[in-house]
Amino acid sequence: MVIDWLPSILIVVLLLLGVIGMLRRASLWRAGQPEKVNIIAGLMAMPGRYLKDLHHVVERDKYMSKTHVATGGGFVLSMVLVLVVHVFKVEEQIVAWALLGALLLMLVGAFFVFKRRLNPPERLSKGPWMRLPKSLITFALTFIVLTLPAAGILPDGTGGVLLIAVLSVGIVIGLGELLFGMGWGGPMKHAFAGALHLAFHRRPERFGGGRSTGLKPANLDASVIGVAKPSDFKWNQLLGFDACVQCGKCQAMCPAFAAGQPLNPKKLIQDMVVGLAGGSDANYAGSPYPGKEVGQAKGSPNEIITAGLVSQETLWSCTTCRACVEECPMMIEHVDAIVDMRRFLTMEKGETPNKGSEVLENIIATDNPGGYAPGSRTNWAADQNLAVMKDKKEVDVLFWVSDGAFDMRSQRILRAFVKLMKAADVDVAILGDEERDSGDVARRLGDDATFQSLAKRNLATLGQYKFNKIVTTDPHAYHCLRNEYADFDKDGALAGVEVLHHTTFLNQLVQSGALKLDAFKGGKVTYHDPCYLGRYNGEYKAPRDLLRSLGIEIAEMERSGFRSRCCGGGGGAPITDIPGERRIADMRMEDASATGAELVAVGCQQCTAMLEGVVEPRPQVKDISEILVDQLIEEVH
Amino acid sequence: MPHKVISLISVGRHPQSGRSRRADQDSRAVELGLKLAGTDLDVVHAGNAEEPVLRQYAGMGLQKVTVLEQTETADAIPALSSYLKAEKADIVLTGVRSESGESSGMTPYLLAEQLGWPIVARVADIVEIKDGEAQVLLALPRGQRRQVTVKLPFIASIDNAAQAARQSAFGPGLRAKMDTQTGSTEEDNVRVNWSEAPAKARPKRLKVVKAKTAADRFKAATAKPQGGLGKVMKNESAQEKAQAIFDLLIEEKVIR
């Protein structure tokens, strides 16, 4: 009878429709710009990337990781076996039993998804995502019943036509969500796009425990620099946007969102999806950009993004702290996308907000953001008796001073560090007036032309001298030197050179016994991880080791380590200064105060400036080098 | 009828680094030009078409920059005046004085003299152009403005009080066309005979603070200068006027 064949036909039809949808989706990504990926190697690496790297991130939430393994694993296994049993009609009972096992596993997982959705946290998107657990359960139950005869539990033909009709409805609902929906933009799209995103990720170095945080250079010869329209993204960036599961972990970590500035990383990625697929954000069912109504954004692959899809303030609210990227289980690169769009605004439109234009013009004309005379860069060190590279030519440690040289508060950090190096008898020199801004701010503000020019000129200067290490007190310069200059280092000025943050270097000195330190006698101390030291460079340990070497027991903040919250000072955010309801620095200081600490130890001049800008009463703020220098035991000769 | 607006630009010099840059007043002249004429604005430079600073001006959204190609030692005036005549300009905008070169501030005056046009110095804004006349706001000290009406065509030098220049964008600046024409070959004799030396800080008159209270100090810092000591000489002979100036210069120890 035809009706007996109905389930099989439905499975095949929905599978085909799903595949058509997926092909159509893939054609949307192909509207993006070409980017070379190794397709075969990527696909081969994909299962490993899923099981290790992605799962490693998901596992931070044990409930969800177990739920996802059961549901996802159960579904993939059952789908394969469904085809074997119900389409190819393999009549081995053992296969049917295996299918039943997989379906039961999925059912259990789906139940926990259901439970999670009973009272979902604010960060989760609602809308179609609310029906997903029901679809999952329908799928599992339908196929369990459908498989019972094949497993020999029920006799063939049980329930007759009526049951088959009911089961067919179940198949349409279940597979409609899981196969058809996967190709046609339903919640299950994440499985299909996510798997391919893992395979063709733009930063494959991130997998297997690696780190890849340096921004990619902008093509300055392009007819339009930066990303103006969704189709200006690389194709695998578009694919990455489509992988979003709207879990909102990024939103929960975003400092700008928490401060009420008009940015929500999840909404931004969803707007990018609207842009690549065309349409409006009316169906978006998550938290909005603070202060902005949902439903107004419209876009399509060839429309300018900032002309109706995403507002400029949204893009300028980001501090590039990378908390969203660190938290994203799908390994989406929000910061890359934001800086890509900023590049268009700055280099094509000339619309960097507030002080942005002035700061960029200063950097171009004087190589420092404050517009100070380049010849006064070394004034801070007039009494420091520091050797200059121009005279020394060869040295063990090159101290990269950074623009803190022009700021009186930062100079205290510099002096403390110099004193420590002198005490440890380090063979050190500075570039003096030959040093230039690292280009960090220019690059984060979207002016890659200026960044590239600075990088090239700095590298030319560095190439004249010999040194084994570069040490800097500024994590932003550290990041540029360590992760971003390599793209322009044609002559190998930094080849074989170890780039270190001063906390790492000082820790080496302390561990080797070159620095003798007294125990710290002050009150409670907490440590604030600078984003560009921690998330960007993975250095969480050295600063803590240093504090411990003083006998300090660190009172950790709730958000610390890789989950540290930004001070609000990165990405040129203090320059573009997009208004919110709160200040990020105030929120961070509340985190610090909550530990009962009297002193916040930091490792970044920018963090120092931001946190000290919080009104008193509040804990004192000191760079680690300043804390160390107070405990330095100076040997009398 | 749209008016032909031309902004003249020069290579500026950053006060701290001494590096070439978009000159502050000249870029304000371009900004005002863009306000008046939009994309029809003609921006003209006499000098080297390869000069990278021209790209910084072009980054303000100019499709092209007209360059009257000439060497560094050539006089800019003949080339500019013949260009302005040929183009039938209605309004020519310049900076008050350039940041590099002679920096005499004479360019707008010499052009006005050669063309026989009026010049309005230190303009803050051009409010309206109607019936062959322009309503011009002149910048006076302490934020004061004076409105004057000028007949077209005229030359205006743009004060620092004018609208600040918009940000220069790298991409459009890079792609703008440099429309080169031959400039003048006439040697700038004055310039050639000059020698450049770093400026010495001028002695400042000691300011005796007489104010006793904060309110007095505030008043002294913000109030309109009362003048008091000045004298308006209208009917006196030229001899007497010159004598008065001479006496003042001696009194101020400018001449000894």
Side-chain angles (χ1 to χ4, degrees), chain A residues 220 222-223 225 346-352 357 360-361 364-367 371-374 449 457, chain B residues 14-22 24 27 56 59 165-175:
Chain A
L220 301 180
S223 60
I225 306 171
T346 293
M347 288 192 281
E348 289 293 343
K349 307 272 281 182
E351 287 176 1
T352 324
S357 152
L360 290 175
E361 213 154 295
I364 291 167
T366 62
D367 297 332
Y372 299 102
R457 284 182 289 145
Chain B
H14 194 274
Q16 297 297 333
S17 67
R19 217 176 278 171
S20 296
R21 66 157 182 180
R22 153 170 95 120
D24 183 62
S27 50
Q56 293 186 15
R166 66 191 64 185
Q167 187 176 355
S168 172
F170 177 81
L174 194 70
R175 290 186 285 267

Side-chain angles (χ1 to χ4, degrees), chain A residues 218-230:
Chain A
N219 176 11
L220 301 180
D221 301 323
S223 60
V224 173
I225 306 171
V227 167
K229 307 171 237 163

